Amino acid sequence: MTEAAAHTVEVTMPPKARRTRWDWAAIAMDVAWFSMFFIWCIGRIIGDRNSLVQWISWIPTLGVVAFGLVWLACRAGDRRRHRVRRWGGLACAALACGAAVRGDFRPWTDHVAPSPQDIRIVQWNTDHPSGNDPRSMTALATISAEHAVDLFLISNRGSITTQECVHQWAGPHFSSAGAGPFACVTTFPIEEARVIAASGKGNDMVWVAKFVVRPPSWNGRALRIAMVDLPSKPTLSRMQVAQELLTDIRRGDLGEVDIVVGDFNALPGSLILSRVFPTFHDSWAQAGSGLRTSWPRLFPLWSIDHVLLAPTLRALSSVTAD
């Protein structure tokens, strides 16, 4: 007779591991990184079309990339678990880096064969509000010595745009014409320099001026330039600024222009650019190289100064210099 015996085996599960300080630190880093990335994405999508949340669009892409690299460095050694969060965070960091390369930093240069009709333009903002910044004069002298510049467009003009100073840093063949806070310094004949609009008060002022020069290599055709300086107050509705700028341009009879330059105090893709100058294209987006951002001067994180070209013009090269 066979006897079967039943045995009961009790399996004891190991106790659940308690979270360590590193686990909590990793969770905090993940929450901070994913939150920043999500808010930054919302800002990129919405832009400054809504005045209530337009501040989100001012989160700098380079700052997001820097935080992503810090997150990556802190999480690189944690290989125990949380693989989904690690790979998700890595994908977010890659997307932020791609956005930076596409919009703020381009490490390559597209070489284009020169043409006799090419014009080399420098758009420069001196320190606000005096325009007597000696660093600007030194920088402009360096640029003038290293490059065959045809035209300088200067905002916040001051003593450095007087004829005597211009001859010192640009050369004896350059002449200067002013209109409001702007100056046009060039070797071309200057046919027009007038203020189109000057509205608002203090730092909320909207300035627009028009310059017309006639490059000899253009076979008699004039180059029409609009220079703008817009309010810097970040809480001011960009929709309101765009509407005010449109009204001022129509009232001041700006007419057709070929180039729009200046301190827009607005990011690329801003409502101001797309609504007021819908047919114009950004010179850096077309042919830019290096770092695009221009403010603040010491550690630039935002691109608020732009050179916009009419559809009939094409940028061959665009760089940010200081």
Side-chain angles (χ1 to χ4, degrees), residues 13-295:
M13 299 296 294
K16 187 176 180 180
R18 298 183 60 184
R19 297 189 187 276
T20 63
R21 291 183 178 180
W22 169 253
D23 292 328
W24 288 112
I27 292 174
M29 285 291 294
D30 291 345
V31 170
W33 168 232
F34 286 116
S35 299
M36 172 177 281
F37 182 82
F38 176 75
I39 295 174
W40 170 78
C41 284
I42 295 298
R44 298 273 296 190
I45 296 172
I46 296 178
D48 54 11
R49 292 189 294 270
N50 188 308
S51 60
L52 296 178
V53 296
Q54 67 180 14
W55 61 270
I56 299 178
S57 66
W58 285 89
I59 298 177
T61 301
L62 294 180
V64 175
V65 171
F67 190 86
L69 294 177
V70 171
W71 173 88
L72 190 62
C74 294
R75 298 288 273 123
D78 183 14
R79 302 182 180 275
R80 295 172 295 174
R81 51 184 180 272
H82 313 311
R83 292 183 179 180
V84 174
R85 294 210 305 264
R86 285 207 314 273
W87 285 106
L90 184 60
C92 293
L95 289 174
C97 289
V101 172
R102 183 177 180 272
D104 292 321
F105 177 73
R106 191 172 295 165
W108 64 85
T109 302
D110 297 327
H111 295 283
V112 181
S115 167
Q117 294 185 331
D118 294 348
I119 295 178
R120 289 159 290 275
I121 299 175
V122 172
Q123 184 258 327
W124 189 268
N125 289 335
T126 65
D127 278 358
H128 179 80
S130 66
N132 304 318
D133 179 17
R135 294 179 301 172
S136 289
M137 186 170 176
T138 302
L140 289 170
T142 302
I143 294 174
S144 181
E146 295 178 352
H147 306 278
V149 180
D150 301 305
L151 180 64
F152 292 91
L153 301 172
I154 301 175
S155 299
N156 299 323
R157 69 184 180 101
S159 62
I160 67 170
T161 60
T162 60
Q163 199 63 55
E164 181 181 356
C165 286
V166 165
H167 287 169
Q168 293 179 17
W169 58 262
H173 302 296
F174 282 80
S175 58
S176 175
F182 310 111
C184 174
V185 179
T186 180
T187 57
F188 303 148
I190 303 175
E191 298 184 354
E192 182 180 348
R194 65 185 177 97
V195 174
I196 299 296
S199 60
K201 296 180 180 179
N203 293 332
D204 294 338
M205 287 197 67
V206 173
W207 282 96
V208 183
K210 183 177 183 179
F211 296 91
V212 178
V213 300
R214 198 168 293 274
S217 62
W218 280 27
N219 300 321
R221 180 190 169 193
L223 175 63
R224 301 158 298 182
I225 306 162
M227 296 191 68
V228 303
D229 186 79
L230 301 181
S232 59
K233 192 175 181 180
T235 58
L236 193 62
S237 169
R238 300 294 103 178
M239 177 75 77
Q240 177 183 340
V241 174
Q243 187 59 47
E244 185 175 350
L245 180 59
L246 268 175
T247 302
D248 290 342
I249 287 176
R250 291 167 180 167
R251 186 187 299 122
D253 190 22
L254 176 64
E256 294 185 358
V257 293
D258 303 297
I259 300 177
V260 182
V261 305
D263 184 2
F264 287 80
N265 283 306
L267 301 174
S270 169
L271 180 71
I272 296 174
L273 307 182
S274 60
R275 182 169 182 176
V276 182
F277 308 103
T279 62
F280 283 67
H281 59 276
D282 188 276
S283 63
W284 196 94
Q286 185 176 41
S289 61
L291 187 64
R292 179 182 191 174
T293 52
S294 58
W295 190 86

